[in-house]
Amino acid sequence: MKIAVGADHGGYPLKQTVMDELNRLGHTVVDCGAPAYDSKDDYPDLARAVGLAILRGQAERGILLCGSGVGASIAANKLRGVRAAVCHDTYSAAQGVEHDAMNVLCLGSRIIGEELAKALVRAFAAARFFTDPRFQRRLDKVIAIEQEQV
């Protein structure tokens, strides 16, 4: 699977760990930046880059890293078709995909360490959306909310 990865200065310390784990699992990483640590970069720019990579078909999913994961999640969710969530436990990282069709995992580099980050990446990447009608019905309702927005 192609997975876009983006990190601002707050998330940058875990970026290489996340990309290495994805590569180890056999996924293709689409690096959306930042290419180097920059204390003046802004999470909305990286969230936009990852979201657009998904919307343009350059990646199937994304992983965003910032200090807490919250800002990246808020920014990514502004793009129609992006369903991003902060997950700092493996249950949510998998269940978010399985039940809610989450396509962007947001992680807080100042909250979790390398080993938990790798476990979250594994759970997120291995999960698949459940095709049970109740999950599809709920996803359809989320998409309808997006489409109502002007």
Side-chain angles (χ1 to χ4, degrees):
M1 173 174 11
K2 288 184 181 177
I3 301 177
V5 175
D8 72 353
H9 62 279
Y12 197 79
L14 277 182
K15 182 180 177 203
Q16 193 62 52
T17 297
V18 165
M19 293 193 307
D20 289 347
E21 186 66 8
L22 289 168
N23 285 322
R24 189 187 72 74
L25 295 169
H27 299 288
T28 301
V29 173
V30 178
D31 188 346
C32 293
Y37 178 83
D38 179 356
S39 65
K40 296 181 194 277
D41 64 14
D42 294 316
Y43 65 83
D45 300 324
L46 287 306
R48 184 175 190 273
V50 168
L52 288 177
I54 293 167
L55 297 176
R56 292 176 176 157
Q58 299 162 335
E60 297 161 67
R61 293 191 196 164
I63 298 176
L64 282 166
L65 301 108
C66 69
S68 68
V70 174
S73 174
I74 290 169
N77 278 308
K78 298 301 179 186
L79 290 122
R80 290 183 187 199
V82 172
R83 293 174 297 279
V86 179
C87 299
H88 290 150
D89 64 271
T90 56
Y91 175 81
S92 298
Q95 188 267 342
V97 175
E98 294 166 350
H99 292 199
D100 308 311
M102 176 178 73
N103 55 10
V104 176
L105 173 66
C106 299
L107 303 175
S109 181
R110 295 179 180 143
I111 302 197
I112 63 170
E114 288 187 6
E115 292 308 312
L116 181 52
K118 290 190 277 188
L120 293 165
V121 166
R122 289 190 300 269
F124 173 68
R128 299 293 176 264
F129 181 62
F130 290 163
T131 58
D132 183 282
R134 67 185 168 134
F135 300 122
Q136 186 61 55
R137 180 183 69 245
R138 294 169 185 163
L139 176 57
D140 291 343
K141 289 180 179 184
V142 169
I143 292 169
I145 292 169
E146 275 186 336
Q147 292 172 346
E148 292 169 1
Q149 302 304 301
V150 290

